Amino acid sequence: MVDWKNPPRLFIPGPIQVKSDVLQELARPTLGHRDKEYAQLHGEVAEMLKKLLFTQQYVFLSTSSGSGLWEASIRNCVAPDETVLATCCGAFSDKWADVVKDCGRNVDVLKVEWGQATTPELIDAKLAGGKYAAITLIYNETSTGLMNPIYDIAKMMKAKYPDVLVFVDAVSGMIGQPVHFDELGWDVAFASVQKAFGLPPGFTVAAVSRRAVEKAKSVPAKGYYFNFIEWAKAAEKNQTLVTPSIPHIMGLHYQCTKLVNEGMENVWARHRAMGNFVRGWAKQKFELFCEERYASNTLTTIKNTRNINVGEVIKAVKQKHNTIFSAGYGQLKDKTFRVAHMGDITIEEVQELLGWIDEEIG
Ligand SMILES: *Cc1c(COP(=O)(O)O)cnc(C)c1O
């Protein structure tokens, strides 16, 4: 019988395992969301997030999964007759392009093969040929384990297309990898907390530029729940528009405090060390799915060059150690597998897991 109260330890790229000290923080007595105590909690979390994301613009706390912000960025900041350039390099970025269409906006797609990066040159060539209000970008493609060269892209965008808004899905990248939001010139960047924040799923953090909120004023039919104008008004009072998931915000307070104390350079270095270790193992036993210079530091997608039965290995490790990692995503199901190394996962834990995989593959 499956026992959901004794679930496997998660090395899947979200949700990731949540340490028990973190879980405790979600069990505190609740607060009234219009009371001073809540405003203090909210204000402190927002201030810490601004430090972690290097921004002095808006930070919003959204009681939704990350996908909600796919929709929110479009519905708030793109007028119905405007066109978005959606850059696609895997399952999640593909999905966002669909969401742009679902929101009734015009979309042009810039697609590269899975495992390839979206480069500044490709974006430049596309933007030069049309009139675009915004682009969608994925920081870290969780299907292919690829980290796009966002700093190079930002440099090009600021030099050549300063008026095009930039929306970034940083769901599996934020915290584990640098986000200097203001310097990057981004307009919306978001991450669900079940990835590198190391919290349970169901909540999202977003940084939003002042010009994105300004733009929202002229866009009709934004809806209610994800309305940036209303969010900005509430945020100024250290509140949210509707009753938020206060336990998540308490958990975020705990996690952000740790991150601020550790220092982001150290946090990124810790993720890089885990990434390097897993890549070293992967290259020795298999191959990396994407080019090494674009490989993510929060998860690794490994090419199944030995043709192992991925499902069987996952099952065996689960049975013996009550621990799971991921098969490939969608079309990559048996061709790859994925190991997450982010949040509060330690390098020792990753080493242990890879050792267990070694025992299975011989
Ligand atoms: C996990 C993930 C999502 C989806 O996040 P939800 O919180 O499930 O909505 C979107 N984009 C990327 C890159 C992800 O890794």
Side-chain angles (χ1 to χ4, degrees):
M1 241 256 298
V2 173
D3 180 6
W4 65 270
K5 290 186 175 172
N6 180 30
R9 196 154 49 124
L10 303 179
F11 287 84
I12 61 175
I16 63 157
Q17 53 174 300
V18 182
K19 302 294 186 198
S20 54
D21 59 321
V22 180
L23 282 175
Q24 290 300 314
E25 296 296 316
L26 282 89
R28 292 184 177 280
T30 197
L31 308 172
H33 67 297
R34 301 298 181 220
D35 290 345
K36 288 199 175 80
E37 290 78 9
Y38 174 79
Q40 186 188 351
L41 167 70
H42 185 117
E44 287 177 11
V45 168
E47 276 317 303
M48 288 191 281
L49 285 168
K50 286 178 186 179
K51 284 187 190 147
L52 304 180
L53 303 176
F54 299 86
T55 182
Q56 297 188 356
Q57 304 186 74
Y58 291 102
V59 164
F60 294 144
L61 304 179
S62 176
T63 301
S64 69
S65 88
S67 313
L69 271 291
W70 282 346
E71 189 162 327
S73 56
I74 303 303
R75 295 192 63 187
N76 278 282
C77 304
V78 181
D81 59 346
E82 290 179 328
T83 303
V84 175
L85 177 64
T87 66
C88 299
C89 59
F92 290 93
S93 40
D94 282 357
K95 191 73 210 162
W96 198 1
D98 292 343
V99 170
V100 178
K101 234 177 292 167
D102 292 339
C103 292
R105 269 55 168 189
N106 307 308
V107 61
D108 266 2
V109 168
L110 168 60
K111 220 185 232 317
V112 294
E113 253 179 71
W114 286 32
Q116 302 285 313
T118 302
T119 62
E121 294 74 26
L122 290 170
I123 296 174
D124 185 9
K126 199 80 186 173
L127 287 180
K131 184 150 175 39
Y132 298 94
I135 68 168
T136 64
L137 254 185
I138 201 132
Y139 188 174
N140 199 80
E141 233 314 332
T142 314
S143 56
T144 61
L146 178 130
M147 170 168 56
N148 275 315
I150 52 154
Y151 283 83
D152 295 341
I153 294 170
K155 211 162 127 194
M156 183 281 293
M157 290 297 296
K158 285 203 295 191
K160 300 186 78 168
Y161 307 97
D163 296 333
V164 176
L165 299 180
V166 182
F167 310 143
V168 184
D169 171 335
V171 175
S172 63
M174 188 183 281
I175 300 304
Q177 296 163 176
V179 173
H180 297 87
F181 184 81
D182 291 354
E183 182 194 323
L184 285 158
W186 287 353
D187 294 285
V188 182
F190 50 91
S192 339
V193 298
Q194 75 272 23
K195 309 273 166 108
F197 280 101
L199 288 162
F203 200 80
T204 294
V205 166
V208 175
S209 71
R210 282 185 206 96
R211 75 169 180 174
V213 174
E214 246 344 275
K215 173 76 189 279
K217 290 179 182 165
S218 68
V219 175
K222 293 181 284 290
Y224 174 71
Y225 194 80
F226 289 110
N227 188 314
F228 283 176
I229 310 285
E230 299 302 323
W231 283 14
K233 277 191 222 154
E236 270 150 27
K237 295 185 283 184
N238 286 325
Q239 290 186 357
T240 50
L241 175 60
V242 293
T243 320
S245 174
I246 294 171
H248 274 107
I249 301 173
M250 292 170 175
L252 257 181
H253 192 282
Y254 185 74
Q255 294 298 67
C256 290
T257 303
K258 281 196 308 192
L259 292 165
V260 167
N261 289 339
E262 184 178 0
M264 290 315 283
E265 292 289 342
N266 297 325
V267 174
W268 302 326
R270 177 159 57 76
H271 284 82
R272 199 160 51 236
M274 289 194 284
N276 278 332
F277 183 81
V278 178
R279 286 192 286 277
W281 175 86
K283 285 188 293 179
Q284 203 188 345
K285 307 281 160 112
F286 298 89
E287 276 174 32
L288 296 174
F289 180 72
C290 61
E291 228 182 295
E292 184 156 12
R293 64 180 163 142
Y294 296 124
S296 160
N297 284 324
T298 57
L299 82 138
T300 300
T301 300
I302 298 141
K303 201 173 186 175
N304 183 11
T305 47
R306 296 161 70 135
N307 211 13
I308 59 166
N309 186 328
V310 172
E312 286 300 319
V313 175
I314 292 174
K315 215 160 103 186
V317 171
K318 183 180 176 197
Q319 247 161 24
K320 292 177 196 167
H321 308 288
N322 201 26
T323 296
I324 57 170
F325 59 100
S326 270
Y329 194 98
Q331 63 188 57
L332 298 176
K333 191 170 190 304
D334 302 310
K335 296 186 189 122
T336 64
F337 58 95
R338 296 174 299 157
V339 174
H341 33 84
M342 59 175 120
D344 290 323
I345 291 175
T346 65
I347 195 161
E348 290 78 18
E349 288 176 304
V350 173
Q351 287 168 345
E352 191 177 39
L353 170 67
L354 298 184
W356 292 335
I357 298 175
D358 278 335
E359 282 171 21
E360 298 305 320
I361 63 178

